Amino acid sequence: MPRRRPAWIPALLLLLGGCSLLGDDPGESAAPPSPVTPAAVTSPDRDRDVVSRRLAALDPCVLAQAGAPEGATTRATSPTVCTLRLPTTHANVRVEIGAGLSQQTRFHRSRQALGGAVAYAESPVLETCGWYLPVDQGRAIHVWTYDDGCAATRRVARGVAELLMATPERALADPSPALVPPCEWLRAGHGEPTGDEVVVDYLFGPSAAPGECSVRRPSGGIPVDTLVLGVALDHGHRQYLVEPGRGARAVAVAGRPAALTTSAGDCDLQVAAAPLTVGPSAHDDVLRLRVVAQTCPEARRAATRMLEAVDAREPAAPDFSDPPLLYPADGPDPAEATSARADSDVAAVGACAHVSDATERECAPATGAEVPEDPADLLLAAQADAEVLCAALLPQVREHFGDDVVAGTGVLSRATAAQQVAGEDAPQEPACYFGEPEHALHLTATASWRSLDESTVGEAEQEVAGHTAVTTSSTDPESPSRSWTVALGDPAEPGVLSLHVQVTQDRSQGLWQGVPVDGSLMEPAEAFVEDAVRDLLDRRPGGQR
């Protein structure tokens, strides 16, 4: 990757020629260089609609049987969920298609191989025992149990992976309206979002849920958004749709019986997704479409448009050939990539794959930079471009925390003391992030040409390596952390170095909260900060300290 040419390079060349950005007069104020906008490096996600159509075409019970022991029985509880009953232990193993699996969850779990596909295992500390097989950067096929069936769960998950990697067409569901993804139902009833509307893959909760989709708009308050229209596909009882219970009203929608209820100001319409059959072959368990809107007339109109559009469609199986539905286990390691990849279940690239919240922090792997010899010039340059701070700190970080620590640049929201008091939003500024392959150590560094007094609010001052500093700490046993804000000189004068160290569970544990962490990981932090302060803030031209 070519090195970026920051806006402060001309000034740096003067510096390296023996001139300081501060001039000859030590009391002369400096003009900070223009900030360099970090260029985030991320691998693009798969086409969401293509993945959704593929997932909707799968039969969860065919997947469950792929690795099931002889004698196991299955029962579908929705188009996306099947429960597998084991014959000996009577434990229930569930296969869920399209479960949410965030980038942060992946960060805190080991990326493994299972059945030829990339997989993430849940922690044995959790109440569940399960495996996630990612299908894009936000969703996965989840195989799990609440019961004592961890060995069986792994066996079923391996069977699912092997089937989908080799012959995914064998897992196709019978033609039905269930083959239409929820967000396509939604578009048929609402059209494309307009203005400030957004489409999200949930309806009844705040995170991704299989079989759900909704259109929302910002509310300007709490909750943060307002439902415009939502849909959910699941299984329901035929009798309830024909003869709704107390509190529900029977209506007809697109020639089939439906039930209307109101709750929390919204109208919930439930209707059979396909025309109901009659006679001995009729099943009590039917595919149900739920449409939620702000008013019942809106729900009925939207449901009618959806059902008429889907009834007119010819079900067609999607193409599973390229790329494969799951991610091959023998693909490149995201942490070893040098640039964005065309098909990766991890959005972060290179060193940023070891940085927590890398996407939100707009992380890009650090590529190196010249480090000014004068402390003030270093802080000025690092405030504008985090590459300078990463290059200056990396040797000390590796000396104290290990040679496998890597660095990435990004942004951090940090408020001044005045902004904190006023409750104003914190502006973003360049930051350097350090991480390592176990994902247990998280170190953040920033430089500022504000004063210590401007940067902190009311905290007691102390001394770090001969410099005035403010320190804070969290003794949370599950995620301890410490922060240092260190002044270059007088606390009222410009120049601050900020360092933050946090420890979490390593990714082999499969979780980042729930049990105490290994506190020894924090032990090198104080010595690291002392050495970093001496190295960066006490340096002199010619490399002397």
Side-chain angles (χ1 to χ4, degrees):
M1 179 183 299
R3 182 177 301 168
R4 292 171 288 158
R5 182 180 176 88
W8 50 267
I9 282 292
L12 181 59
L13 293 176
L14 289 175
L15 165 73
L16 296 177
C19 298
S20 168
L21 295 177
L22 296 179
D24 296 329
D25 183 356
E28 182 180 337
S29 61
S34 300
V36 175
T37 302
V41 180
T42 56
S43 293
D45 201 358
R46 291 174 167 178
D47 186 299
R48 187 166 192 81
D49 288 339
V50 171
V51 174
S52 295
R53 294 186 192 106
R54 289 172 152 196
L55 295 179
L58 299 176
D59 186 329
C61 287
V62 174
L63 295 180
Q65 286 285 3
E70 185 176 353
T73 59
T74 59
R75 177 178 179 272
T77 55
S78 83
T80 58
V81 179
C82 182
T83 299
L84 179 75
R85 184 78 166 176
L86 301 179
T88 53
T89 63
H90 301 290
N92 289 325
V93 176
R94 295 167 179 82
V95 175
E96 184 177 24
I97 298 173
L101 182 64
S102 69
Q103 290 292 296
Q104 190 65 354
T105 299
R106 299 176 204 215
F107 179 84
H108 287 290
R109 291 183 179 160
S110 293
R111 192 171 184 269
Q112 303 181 34
L114 186 69
V118 171
Y120 295 85
E122 288 183 322
S123 169
V125 176
L126 301 177
E127 294 181 0
T128 57
C129 178
W131 291 81
Y132 284 92
L133 303 169
V135 295
D136 60 17
Q137 292 180 2
R139 293 174 291 178
I141 294 173
H142 189 197
V143 182
W144 58 282
T145 181
Y146 276 122
D147 306 305
D148 185 18
C150 287
T153 302
R154 181 185 177 93
R155 172 177 171 173
V156 172
R158 182 189 294 112
V160 171
E162 291 173 345
L163 173 63
L164 292 178
M165 290 299 294
T167 53
E169 61 276 4
R170 288 176 48 204
L172 292 179
D174 294 332
S176 82
L179 271 62
V180 180
C183 289
E184 291 191 22
W185 283 88
L186 186 75
R187 292 192 189 101
H190 179 75
E192 295 297 329
T194 59
D196 57 358
E197 294 178 345
V198 294
V199 176
V200 294
D201 52 4
Y202 59 84
L203 172 58
F204 300 112
S207 57
E212 297 181 8
C213 189
S214 62
V215 176
R216 298 174 182 268
R217 64 168 59 100
S219 66
I222 298 177
V224 295
D225 57 27
T226 300
L227 175 70
V228 176
L229 183 69
V231 301
L233 287 170
D234 59 13
H235 286 192
H237 291 292
R238 171 195 181 96
Q239 188 63 29
Y240 176 79
L241 300 178
V242 175
E243 299 178 1
R246 180 177 298 179
R249 180 161 59 96
V251 296
V253 177
R256 60 202 83 177
L260 278 176
T261 58
T262 55
S263 174
D266 292 327
C267 183
D268 186 343
L269 183 148
Q270 303 181 31
V271 61
L276 295 177
T277 57
V278 296
S281 62
H283 294 283
D284 181 56
D285 195 33
V286 298
L287 180 64
R288 176 177 62 176
L289 170 68
R290 295 182 66 177
V291 180
V292 183
Q294 293 179 345
T295 68
C296 288
E298 291 177 47
R300 293 182 68 174
R301 287 193 295 268
T304 300
R305 289 192 293 267
M306 294 178 197
L307 292 167
E308 290 176 348
V310 172
D311 286 348
R313 291 178 58 160
E314 286 292 333
D319 179 17
F320 283 93
S321 59
D322 186 33
L325 179 63
L326 304 181
Y327 292 88
D330 59 1
D333 185 343
E336 296 177 0
T338 57
S339 60
R341 290 172 48 203
D343 194 45
S344 174
D345 81 288
V346 175
V349 173
C352 295
H354 296 322
V355 171
S356 180
D357 291 316
T359 303
E360 292 78 3
R361 289 168 166 171
E362 302 179 18
C363 185
T367 58
E370 297 289 345
V371 179
E373 293 183 345
D374 182 86
D377 293 333
L378 190 158
L379 293 179
L380 279 165
Q383 175 183 256
D385 190 349
E387 287 277 11
V388 176
L389 194 55
C390 287
L393 281 172
L394 186 58
Q396 289 291 351
V397 173
R398 286 181 170 170
E399 179 179 336
H400 290 276
F401 294 103
D403 291 337
D404 54 359
V405 176
V406 292
T409 63
V411 294
L412 176 70
S413 296
R414 183 183 293 277
T416 65
Q419 289 167 334
Q420 294 177 51
V421 172
E424 298 176 0
D425 292 337
Q428 288 189 330
E429 59 187 46
C432 180
Y433 295 99
F434 297 91
E436 42 74 42
E438 297 304 318
H439 297 185
L441 174 70
H442 319 280
L443 196 154
T444 305
T446 61
S448 171
W449 201 240
R450 296 189 295 264
S451 69
L452 182 66
D453 292 345
E454 292 176 297
S455 303
T456 57
V457 182
E459 292 94 346
E461 295 178 351
Q462 63 183 70
E463 188 176 284
V464 173
H467 290 258
T468 305
V470 169
T471 66
T472 59
S473 63
S474 168
T475 56
D476 181 354
E478 298 176 10
S479 183
S481 65
R482 292 191 67 183
S483 297
W484 293 260
T485 306
V486 187
L488 171 61
D490 190 293
E493 296 297 324
V496 168
L497 173 67
S498 298
L499 301 169
H500 177 78
V501 181
Q502 182 183 27
V503 172
T504 61
Q505 287 287 350
D506 70 73
R507 64 192 310 193
S508 66
Q509 297 299 310
L511 78 167
W512 70 282
Q513 286 183 328
V515 294
V517 302
D518 180 3
S520 65
L521 294 174
M522 185 65 78
E523 291 176 0
E526 192 163 338
F528 155 70
V529 172
E530 294 268 351
D531 287 348
V533 168
R534 293 190 187 97
D535 191 33
L536 273 62
L537 303 188
D538 292 337
R539 59 178 48 217
R540 295 291 182 269
Q544 298 177 354
R545 301 290 184 264

